[in-house]
Amino acid sequence: MPVTIIIGAQWGDEGKGRAVDWLAAQADVVARFSGGDNAGHTVYVGDEVFKMHLIPSGILHPQALCVLGNGMVINPVNLLKEIDMLREMGVDISPSRLKISSKAHLITPAHIALDAANEKARGKDAIGTTLRGIGPAYLDKTGRKGIRAGEMRDLEAFGELIRQAIQSANQTLAQYDADLLDAQSVAEAYVQAAHQLRPYLADTTYLLNQKLKAGANVLCEGAQGTLLDVDHGSYPFVTSSNPTIGGALAGLGIGARYVQQVIGVAKCFSTRVGSGPMPTELDGDIANRLRGTGENFWDEYGTTTGRPRRCGWLDAVMLRYSCDVNGYTSLAVTKMDILSGFDELKIAVAYEVDGVQVDYPPDTVAALERAKPIYETFPGWEQDITNARSFSDLPLAAQNYLKRIGELCDVPIAMISVGPEREQFIVMEQVLAT
Ligand code: IMP
């Protein structure tokens, strides 16, 4: 490697967990660098479905050490639930396999209550957050009053910090007319969680750099997606972190000189959950077909919230932008099997905004809302492609669709997923150069 960074190239839910799971087989360390349990990564192994919100999908590979980086915001109670769930499913999740950055920030019930209160107050302009307390936790971090995971080392002092934080948040909640929290019981629950999580704490900046100096392969697992980035997404309809390339380095404390590959994971059509502009969004039959019925775990319903996702054709204008922001060395294109059976497919190659054709997304939400996609149309294919294991196994129409994506983005496609199972994957080249 030594460092490979996986980034969501669109609005999240691109199927990054699958790509990470594939690459993690050769990784010594798998690290998450941003976001919290707003993420939902699903990996399907044999008959079992693993749904992770905080712990990297790499945990399913016994040789990989997993890291929750300093750029994350972590709900300790939910993290413990996830640890227990994985342990019950037979996964080794001892402190020798999982490290929590002492510099990561903690999410408290106050952040969750404030997230709900903020959303309610925004009314029709609500962001459509996952209500996991992500925004308020990052707000406390940048406002320099957050509580970091390392505080859990001293249980008594930690309990007091939590109690004070809840009491202070209650004042704000009162202004919103929201229910107040019982500071004492929250502090007790958090001290209990801290007691169990303390063995997992580490200075992961030091750890990762020691590993890199010793030649380890580190895989950085992105969450959310580029178009939800607080700087580069359609602000304010974004998450509160940088799920992009810069966030990966800052969120782990590692330098650019180790980075060998940046892989953008892009779904072969578009989905978005929550509010905000989505130029290629469709209603009706095509959207319903892309979304699926919700009976299968791979259908387009949120892993974290269960909300139906907004669906539409692939937006290559946005994807090109995502390539610029992150400098991908390659792309992984996912869910190609879902496109089987369409008579024709479309890709947005430009927009018309106020009568002018543009090939770059406008930089304001208002203009993006007015953008009308200009499509190229492609013939579809009938065949089931879930058994394809090489590019040449794919029908010509699928090959042409993929080639056009590569051309439009000017980035090579390294991986293609053709089904939900671990093996339903085409690797175009040796992407993990050792
Ligand atoms: P938050 O991250 O919960 O504050 O939500 C902010 C926006 O990001 C909302 O539109 C969410 O639907 C979206 N979002 C957050 N996490 C994910 C994710 O993992 N996948 C897709 N969308 C997400």
Side-chain angles (χ1 to χ4, degrees):
M1 292 202 212
V3 170
T4 296
I5 303 177
I6 306 274
I7 300 224
Q10 295 150 316
W11 285 282
D13 310 315
E14 299 91 352
K16 296 178 287 295
R18 290 285 314 292
V20 172
D21 179 58
W22 182 272
L23 294 167
Q26 293 172 58
D28 301 303
V29 182
V30 183
R32 259 196 68 182
F33 55 82
S34 72
D37 58 343
N38 47 349
H41 291 173
T42 310
V43 185
Y44 186 75
V45 186
D47 292 340
E48 291 194 280
V49 179
F50 293 83
K51 286 188 178 182
M52 265 95 70
H53 298 281
L54 286 161
I55 298 173
S57 326
I59 200 75
L60 303 178
H61 293 272
Q63 89 295 346
L65 173 70
C66 289
V67 169
L68 303 186
N70 58 278
M72 291 185 70
V73 284
I74 298 171
N75 180 320
V77 173
N78 290 350
L79 175 58
L80 271 177
K81 282 189 198 148
E82 208 166 302
I83 290 176
D84 289 344
M85 185 264 299
L86 286 168
R87 193 174 281 135
E88 273 165 31
M89 292 178 94
V91 178
D92 169 15
I93 187 141
S94 59
S96 62
R97 290 219 50 215
L98 178 69
K99 303 286 179 194
I100 305 169
S101 168
S102 48
K103 298 179 204 157
H105 278 248
L106 297 183
I107 293 183
T108 69
H111 295 132
I112 296 170
L114 287 166
D115 199 355
N118 284 331
E119 284 286 89
K120 195 169 162 209
R122 290 182 77 104
K124 65 172 185 30
D125 296 324
I127 311 284
T129 74
T130 58
L131 299 176
R132 296 294 169 123
I134 305 293
Y138 277 115
L139 191 63
D140 274 355
K141 172 180 173 174
T142 49
R144 292 166 295 186
K145 57 191 180 99
I147 299 177
R148 305 214 289 186
E151 304 288 355
M152 294 194 289
R153 289 190 176 117
D154 179 342
L155 293 180
E156 204 174 310
F158 177 65
E160 187 48 30
L161 274 177
I162 295 287
R163 212 176 52 77
Q164 283 173 11
I166 302 295
Q167 276 172 347
S168 151
N170 272 342
Q171 292 170 17
T172 317
L173 288 169
Q175 286 162 15
Y176 278 114
D177 224 5
D179 291 342
L180 303 190
L181 296 160
D182 177 354
Q184 191 54 34
S185 62
V186 173
E188 281 164 20
Y190 268 55
V191 166
Q192 220 170 53
H195 179 65
Q196 294 182 65
L197 289 175
R198 273 192 309 181
Y200 294 92
L201 291 172
D203 180 344
T204 55
T205 309
Y206 178 74
L207 177 84
L208 285 167
N209 280 285
Q210 288 301 105
K211 293 267 180 202
L212 285 168
K213 283 172 195 164
N217 288 335
V218 175
L219 184 63
C220 307
E221 172 173 344
Q224 288 81 50
T226 301
L227 306 176
L228 291 171
D229 184 284
V230 67
D231 288 288
H232 301 291
S234 45
Y235 191 92
F237 301 104
V238 291
T239 192
S240 298
S241 66
N242 292 115
T244 41
I245 179 79
L249 303 185
L252 292 172
I254 57 176
R257 74 178 173 129
Y258 293 112
V259 179
Q260 195 169 46
Q261 295 189 82
V262 186
I263 304 175
V265 182
K267 206 181 283 184
C268 58
F269 52 96
S270 298
T271 64
R272 179 169 195 169
V273 264
S275 316
M278 178 180 173
T280 64
E281 182 173 13
L282 297 169
D283 281 331
D285 288 351
I286 294 173
N288 291 339
R289 248 175 97 178
L290 292 171
R291 184 178 303 114
T293 55
E295 284 158 41
N296 306 305
F297 77 82
W298 58 85
D299 288 343
E300 296 295 348
Y301 291 78
T303 314
T304 302
T305 58
R307 290 179 290 178
R309 296 180 186 139
R310 301 156 67 193
C311 292
W313 296 122
L314 180 68
D315 189 336
V317 183
M318 285 293 184
L319 195 52
R320 260 196 312 256
Y321 168 68
S322 175
C323 293
D324 279 0
V325 168
N326 295 291
Y328 301 130
T329 53
S330 63
L331 287 173
V333 179
T334 61
K335 295 197 83 165
M336 277 294 284
D337 51 307
I338 301 299
L339 297 187
S340 288
F342 279 93
D343 291 340
E344 58 177 33
L345 304 167
K346 291 179 194 284
I347 297 180
V349 294
Y351 299 147
E352 189 211 295
V353 184
D354 304 331
V356 178
Q357 184 168 330
V358 295
D359 61 5
Y360 214 69
D363 59 0
T364 65
V365 167
L368 197 52
E369 293 280 14
R370 298 196 301 277
K372 295 190 191 82
I374 298 172
Y375 288 113
E376 269 180 23
T377 303
F378 301 80
W381 58 91
E382 275 304 319
Q383 297 93 316
D384 172 3
I385 58 169
T386 51
N387 290 324
R389 292 294 174 272
S390 72
F391 191 69
S392 57
D393 291 343
L394 292 170
L396 210 58
Q399 292 185 16
N400 289 336
Y401 184 81
L402 286 161
K403 278 185 192 156
R404 187 67 182 128
I405 296 174
E407 259 169 33
L408 286 164
C409 295
D410 198 18
V411 175
I413 294 176
M415 288 179 279
I416 302 157
S417 88
V418 291
E421 288 176 33
R422 205 178 219 178
E423 302 306 320
Q424 292 173 327
F425 218 63
I426 297 172
V427 178
M428 302 275 285
E429 62 187 53
Q430 183 62 21
V431 285
L432 280 182
T434 43

